[in-house]
Amino acid sequence: MKRHGGQAGLRDIRPVTFWLLVAAVIGVRCLIGWLQMAYVWVDGAPLDDELMFRAAVSIREGNWLGGYDWLTLSKHMFFAIWLAFCNLVGLPYLVAGQFLVCLSSLAASFAVRPLLKRRLHQLLLFVLLAFQPATTAAFTLRVYRDNIFPSLCMLFFAGMCGYALRVHSPLKKGLPWLLLAGVGLATAWLCREDGIWLLPFALVGGVVLAILAILEQKTLAQRCKRIAVLLVPFGVLAAGIGAYSGMNQAVYGVFTVSDFSSGSFSEAMGAMNRVKPQQWKPLVSVPQEVRQELYQAVPLLQPLEYWLEEDADLQNSYRNPGLHDYQAGSFYWAIRKAAWMEGVYESPQTADRYWSQVAEQINQLCDTGALPSQGGKRVGTTPPFRMEYLVPVLQETVASLWHTITFQDCQPYMTIRSIGQVEDLAVWEDFLHQKTNHAAAAGQDAPYYNSVQKMVFGALELVRYAYVALLVVGLVLAVVLQVQKAMALAKSKATLGDWLPWILLLGLLGMALMRCAMIAFMEVAAFQIGTYVMYLSTVHPLLVLYSGVSILSVWRNEHWQNS
């Protein structure tokens, strides 16, 4: 049995034992997915779950994302591709999600292998990642993209970490990790409009590794080769975006992933957000006074006035009665629907021309001073940052971090039943190969769960309580170890290569905090729905990975370099 220095008296588990236990964990996780039930609200989530489901059905029928309307290109739709794939191979929806959780967790545990001494430590890290409570939380039971988004992000982080910790090994050992990082980056990018949040880790990591190559490689050819391979994740990302956009070009005549994240609608929304109101209203990016100015100054927007200001159905659906206006997180949906009512979305080309002209006219009016402007040209649906948001965003960031550390709202079952006619729910169940929780408990409006399900859910709740204690203590200990290691490295006058594991772990913690801050800003400036675990679900695995690796590893440079 192979032994490691410093623990020569401790026997490690055998490879066959390791893989048998991994298989057992995967089996348990898939069983949990099979016992859980999907939550569906037929006709209740046209912008979210239903949009993804309809697109998935259309993909299976060979019609890509379906007929064109105001919603077709509104979101990144990789999740619909995932649903169609699961249907094709016959995998139950929730079981497939749990399998992906296990796959990403296993990839992460192998990625940091150079920092861990024993297979037992790798197995423990895998179990900690695979069973963290957010992976079975109620939001994952929706037929929505956040069921898989955290796992896709973890594949990216695993790939980047895997290469960085093997940077002193031959390229053939590091290249597969860069490819994995690219796959994770591309699929996460195509899954959510905010997939761009992964880029800082890729860019900063790439710069650090490029500097390391310049410092440590002996010849110019070796340096160029090591720097060139760092472009692999970005190449895979470009290929993914190109292939997806190419499908949209072939079917709809528009080369784009989503007109929310790029293209003319994004430009038009950025231009509207640029117009400065006389009186700022929190949560409202384009207030009524600005809209009235736009109706007068931009003739193309005049037909939308009736729908946005008078139509009862549109206002009941998207206007916030408490604000007496459209808040930022719903205005872009309202104006898209108003434009659809006016025939703007007759075709992708008419929509593209319309919003391009709107953006051009508003920006021109702002540039000439005909409309008051708050800054230069903008692109995107995100409201502009204001100093008034700073304190609330910081407060919400702290609240979000605590919400995550304590695994709040991570109960493994829905407390409300699926809504819809039996025959409509049957269509969803047939496509997903997954039961919905539409049956009611006797004499109640709550979902019915059998005794086995209740027992499993109870056990998962106990696991959640254990994770709360472990992560609170583990995160504090990990930060303390991080500081101690920094002091030791500084005293020893360590090289950049010696600092690399430390930088990597700090990056994981930084990305967790960055995600909390991003969601905090959107909550304060646009959503106002309360701290919501679904948007924070990428933070849980990062904190578990950071804490687990920090505590289980000893960060000895000679160990990870030669592993």
Side-chain angles (χ1 to χ4, degrees):
M1 178 66 65
K2 184 179 178 179
R3 302 168 188 264
H4 293 282
Q7 291 194 0
L10 297 177
R11 293 171 62 87
D12 198 2
I13 60 175
R14 296 180 181 274
V16 65
T17 304
F18 174 87
W19 285 111
L20 286 174
L21 291 173
V22 166
V25 170
I26 294 174
V28 170
R29 296 301 295 172
C30 290
L31 178 61
I32 290 172
W34 182 73
L35 288 170
Q36 288 182 302
M37 292 180 172
Y39 172 78
V40 171
W41 183 2
V42 179
D43 298 328
L47 306 179
D48 299 320
D49 307 40
E50 284 186 84
L51 178 63
M52 301 289 168
F53 182 76
R54 288 199 308 270
V57 172
S58 182
I59 291 171
R60 282 290 286 122
E61 294 174 347
N63 298 320
W64 190 223
L65 303 179
Y68 182 77
D69 61 19
W70 65 291
L71 292 175
T72 306
L73 298 178
S74 63
K75 290 193 173 184
H76 292 204
M77 302 290 279
F78 177 78
F79 179 70
I81 299 174
W82 170 259
L83 282 184
F85 169 77
C86 292
N87 174 268
L88 176 66
V89 299
L91 271 176
Y93 164 59
L94 296 179
V95 173
Q98 292 301 322
F99 183 80
L100 188 59
V101 166
C102 292
L103 182 64
S104 63
S105 301
L106 190 62
S109 67
F110 270 95
V112 298
R113 185 175 183 177
L115 289 179
L116 302 181
K117 285 188 172 183
R118 310 171 67 205
R119 281 186 293 274
L120 180 61
H121 291 165
Q122 297 166 44
L123 179 66
L124 180 57
L125 182 63
F126 166 62
V127 172
L128 287 172
L129 288 168
F131 278 96
Q132 60 93 1
T135 60
T136 52
F139 76 86
T140 66
L141 307 181
R142 289 178 54 183
V143 186
Y144 200 48
R145 53 194 181 178
D146 293 276
N147 177 279
I148 65 170
F149 184 63
S151 296
L152 301 179
C153 293
M154 186 49 60
L155 289 176
F156 161 74
F157 287 113
M160 291 298 294
C161 292
Y163 178 77
L165 294 175
R166 292 161 179 80
V167 71
H168 296 102
S169 302
L171 277 179
K172 63 180 181 180
K173 290 187 177 181
L175 189 58
W177 291 103
L178 289 176
L179 289 171
L180 178 64
V183 170
L185 180 60
T187 52
W189 187 291
L190 295 173
C191 192
R192 282 189 61 94
E193 296 76 52
D194 59 0
I196 193 173
W197 82 282
L198 297 172
L199 282 184
F201 191 84
L203 293 173
V204 174
V207 169
V208 171
L209 292 170
I211 294 174
L212 191 65
I214 293 172
L215 294 176
E216 295 191 350
Q217 297 301 315
K218 296 180 180 180
T219 67
L220 179 61
Q222 291 174 331
R223 293 171 182 171
C224 291
K225 185 185 298 185
R226 286 284 179 172
I227 294 173
V229 296
L230 297 175
L231 298 176
V232 168
F234 303 101
V236 177
L237 172 63
I241 292 175
Y244 186 97
S245 299
M247 283 297 298
N248 283 338
Q249 174 71 43
V251 177
Y252 305 114
V254 180
F255 189 82
T256 188
V257 174
S258 160
D259 55 12
F260 251 55
S261 56
S262 62
S264 58
F265 178 75
S266 182
E267 293 171 358
M269 285 304 305
M272 292 182 202
N273 286 328
R274 181 184 177 187
V275 181
K276 184 178 181 180
Q278 291 183 1
Q279 184 176 3
W280 172 68
K281 293 176 64 176
L283 284 170
V284 180
S285 57
V286 187
Q288 189 170 18
E289 66 163 275
V290 169
R291 296 197 301 274
Q292 292 298 332
E293 288 185 87
L294 291 173
Y295 298 143
Q296 297 300 318
V298 183
L300 284 170
L301 292 175
Q302 290 177 4
L304 308 188
E305 182 177 7
Y306 164 76
W307 300 104
L308 290 172
E309 313 303 338
E310 300 181 40
D311 182 69
D313 180 65
L314 196 77
Q315 296 191 57
N316 289 337
S317 299
Y318 300 103
R319 201 178 184 103
N320 186 328
L323 297 171
H324 305 290
D325 211 332
Y326 297 98
Q327 66 186 59
S330 59
F331 174 67
Y332 38 72
W333 294 113
I335 197 170
R336 283 176 75 91
K337 190 167 185 180
W340 177 58
M341 295 291 191
E342 286 295 321
V344 169
Y345 286 92
E346 179 182 353
S347 72
Q349 290 70 35
T350 57
D352 185 58
R353 284 194 300 269
Y354 176 81
W355 294 118
S356 290
Q357 292 171 6
V358 167
E360 182 180 356
Q361 291 180 28
I362 295 175
N363 281 319
Q364 187 176 17
L365 291 167
C366 288
D367 290 339
T368 59
L371 284 175
S373 174
Q374 48 184 354
K377 185 177 179 181
R378 295 177 53 86
V379 177
T381 57
T382 304
F385 181 82
R386 297 179 60 95
M387 287 305 298
E388 291 88 343
Y389 288 138
L390 181 59
V391 173
V393 167
L394 290 175
Q395 293 173 336
E396 179 60 27
T397 299
V398 173
S400 297
L401 182 61
W402 181 249
H403 200 90
T404 304
I405 294 172
T406 53
F407 292 95
Q408 296 180 47
D409 299 323
C410 285
Q411 69 274 9
Y413 55 87
M414 276 286 187
T415 57
I416 54 177
R417 294 190 297 129
S418 292
I419 302 172
Q421 298 295 323
V422 174
E423 57 272 21
D424 293 329
L425 291 170
V427 173
W428 286 68
E429 291 182 346
D430 181 64
F431 188 86
L432 298 172
H433 305 298
Q434 190 84 43
K435 292 292 184 181
T436 60
N437 67 337
H438 66 275
Q444 303 177 44
D445 192 35
Y448 167 78
Y449 299 114
N450 61 40
S451 57
V452 175
Q453 290 171 314
K454 290 179 180 178
M455 180 180 66
V456 171
F457 297 161
L460 290 174
E461 284 284 70
L462 292 176
V463 169
R464 182 168 71 89
Y465 296 140
Y467 265 82
V468 173
L470 286 172
L471 189 56
V472 170
V473 175
L475 192 57
V476 171
L477 180 57
V479 172
V480 170
L481 289 172
Q482 183 101 32
V483 173
Q484 288 181 341
K485 187 63 179 180
M487 295 172 63
L489 288 169
K491 288 181 179 179
S492 65
K493 297 181 180 180
T495 65
L496 179 60
D498 300 329
W499 279 91
L500 191 57
W502 189 93
I503 295 171
L504 191 66
L505 288 168
L506 184 64
L508 294 176
L509 179 60
M511 289 300 294
L513 296 175
M514 178 181 167
R515 182 67 179 180
C516 287
M518 285 177 57
I519 300 304
F521 172 70
M522 293 306 298
E523 164 62 17
V524 169
F527 293 159
Q528 202 181 37
I529 60 174
T531 308
Y532 190 20
V533 66
M534 184 177 82
Y535 297 128
L536 297 168
S537 56
T538 53
V539 179
H540 300 87
L542 284 175
L543 293 180
V544 172
L545 182 62
Y546 169 77
S547 302
V549 174
S550 298
I551 294 170
L552 292 173
S553 71
V554 291
W555 299 355
R556 294 204 314 203
N557 188 53
E558 67 272 18
H559 174 72
W560 75 265
Q561 276 196 5
N562 298 323
S563 292

